[in-house]
Amino acid sequence: MTITRTMLRAATLAVAAALVLTTALAGCSPAAREAIVFADVSWDSAQVNNRIAAFILTHGYGYDNIEYIPGDTIPLFQGLRRGDVDVNMEVWVENQQDAWDEAIAAGDVIDLGNNFGDNWQGWLVPRYMVEGDASRGIAATAPELRSVFDMPKYWELFKDPEDKAKGRFINSTPGWECTEDNSRKLTTYGLDGTYTDFITGSDAALSGSLAAAYARGESWFGYYWAPTWVLGRYDLYPLEEPPYDPAVWQADRGCAYPSNNVNVAVNAEFAERNPEVVAFLDNYVTQTAQHSRVLAHMEGEGASTEEAALFFLREYQDWWTKWVSPDVAAAVKAAL
């Protein structure tokens, strides 16, 4: 029999309820909580998710021994399998599909489903290029621009300073899989004849090029993704592409990027010992737009990941209180 997410949630809730009832009947305080170890992978949204969950677990459930292990994606996922890590709030499944499938099949890891499945990546221009921005006195320079296939006639707006016979497409950084994907897309869409493939040296260079152009109200054409502070701060216009099709993607990348499954996962043995934690994390679902806004606040204010988590909890109370019981919600609110 295959154990589904719904079955797991029902089982953990039942066990958690039984534990609470047993404690109440015994007239004693709950047993000391074990430590919870989070996989602190290197990107901001995952670290903020860790601290949102940790704050709720600490102040709502009494887990006051929270640890974070920093590291790279695959080593931390293997740590999750072994039990060195208890919780991973952002497993980008398709980016580590083989390791994920093996761990789930072995029963080492329990999948609690999507944290945010509406993540996005693709090609953009500033919205003021298409719609103008009266508040900044910017007139639309490409009012009929809609899709990647419109880009050849607009190349002069994006003229490459190093090759003035072409426009410039701002690609991502060397070593990223999406950078190669973007290069293939340029060829497949027939844009390599009118645009240079400018590969930035770092994420900071990529975001910096956009920030500089946006501040001056200038043209910019390139790749970015969400959730990020960039899409939380700047109003950008995503260019239409053919809908994602697995066969087309495999052949030549001639379609939109697929959305990834970004899942919450826990170590199976930890889940058995901590059903109320699993029940809470099973309810933990967020949205890309929320994270982009939180990350924009974090970047703009120079906030820490802990401060960004508090920003989320204060700004989205109507959202996260649905994850927990009223008593837990009240305790967390009191701690904010």
Side-chain angles (χ1 to χ4, degrees):
M1 179 180 69
T2 300
I3 298 176
T4 66
R5 184 185 180 200
T6 301
M7 294 167 61
L8 172 63
R9 181 182 178 189
T12 52
L13 286 172
V15 173
L19 289 175
V20 171
L21 179 60
T22 300
T23 299
L25 292 174
C28 61
S29 60
R33 307 296 197 185
E34 70 172 279
I36 302 179
V37 180
F38 284 85
D40 222 26
V41 286
S42 59
W43 54 92
D44 288 337
S45 64
Q47 294 180 8
V48 172
N49 269 304
N50 286 347
R51 285 150 184 83
I52 293 169
F55 192 92
I56 292 173
L57 287 167
T58 297
H59 298 285
Y61 294 92
Y63 288 84
D64 57 1
N65 188 2
I66 304 291
E67 300 176 12
Y68 307 98
I69 295 182
D72 294 326
T73 301
I74 294 301
L76 284 177
F77 187 72
Q78 296 304 327
L80 186 71
R81 291 193 66 176
R82 293 191 303 269
D84 301 329
V85 172
D86 300 316
V87 180
N88 190 323
M89 296 298 294
E90 280 194 31
V91 180
W92 289 68
V93 174
E94 286 79 5
N95 291 352
Q96 53 188 85
Q97 191 72 59
D98 291 344
W100 173 263
D101 291 343
E102 182 180 323
I104 296 298
D108 298 333
V109 170
I110 294 176
D111 174 19
L112 298 183
N114 263 313
N115 182 336
F116 51 93
D118 61 340
N119 53 89
W120 181 89
Q121 55 186 319
W123 294 3
L124 312 104
V125 299
R127 187 172 296 276
Y128 54 70
M129 294 189 67
V130 179
E131 300 177 2
D133 185 345
S135 66
R136 298 178 64 190
I138 300 175
T141 54
E144 297 180 2
L145 174 58
R146 296 292 181 272
S147 85
V148 293
F149 300 112
D150 296 326
M151 292 307 295
K153 63 184 178 183
Y154 291 110
W155 73 267
E156 290 185 280
L157 294 175
F158 308 94
K159 193 169 291 185
D160 189 328
E162 298 175 8
D163 183 355
K164 296 186 178 180
K166 290 185 176 183
R168 172 177 283 188
F169 170 75
I170 311 294
N171 204 337
S172 46
T173 70
W176 290 9
E177 184 175 347
C178 57
T179 304
E180 182 178 343
D181 293 336
N182 290 328
S183 297
R184 292 182 66 184
K185 281 172 173 283
L186 274 175
T187 300
T188 298
Y189 292 147
L191 297 181
D192 53 336
T194 48
Y195 287 86
T196 60
D197 185 5
F198 184 80
I199 297 176
T200 51
S202 65
D203 179 25
L206 176 59
S207 61
S209 70
L210 173 55
Y214 202 97
R216 295 191 293 262
E218 295 178 348
S219 302
W220 188 91
F221 168 41
Y223 163 87
Y224 225 86
W225 70 97
T228 53
W229 70 266
V230 170
L231 269 71
R233 174 174 296 183
Y234 302 120
D235 191 5
L236 302 173
Y237 187 93
L239 297 175
E240 296 174 5
E241 298 180 66
Y244 173 71
D245 182 298
V248 173
W249 181 263
Q250 185 66 31
D252 59 14
R253 303 296 193 267
C255 60
Y257 276 94
S259 181
N260 277 271
N261 287 292
V262 183
N263 289 14
V264 178
V266 294
N267 173 268
E269 293 183 0
F270 171 84
E272 290 181 5
R273 298 191 306 270
N274 297 277
E276 67 177 354
V277 176
V278 177
F280 157 58
L281 294 177
D282 186 58
N283 291 332
Y284 192 109
V285 178
T286 60
Q287 294 179 324
T288 290
Q290 293 170 341
H291 288 298
S292 288
R293 182 181 175 216
V294 170
L295 296 174
H297 167 81
M298 181 177 169
E299 195 275 340
E301 299 297 323
S304 66
T305 50
E306 288 80 6
E307 291 166 337
L310 292 176
F311 178 82
F312 176 94
L313 290 166
R314 290 173 179 139
E315 291 294 309
Y316 295 108
Q317 289 193 18
D318 289 344
W319 185 273
W320 65 260
T321 50
K322 298 175 183 177
W323 304 338
V324 298
S325 70
D327 289 346
V328 169
V332 174
K333 288 180 181 179
L336 289 173

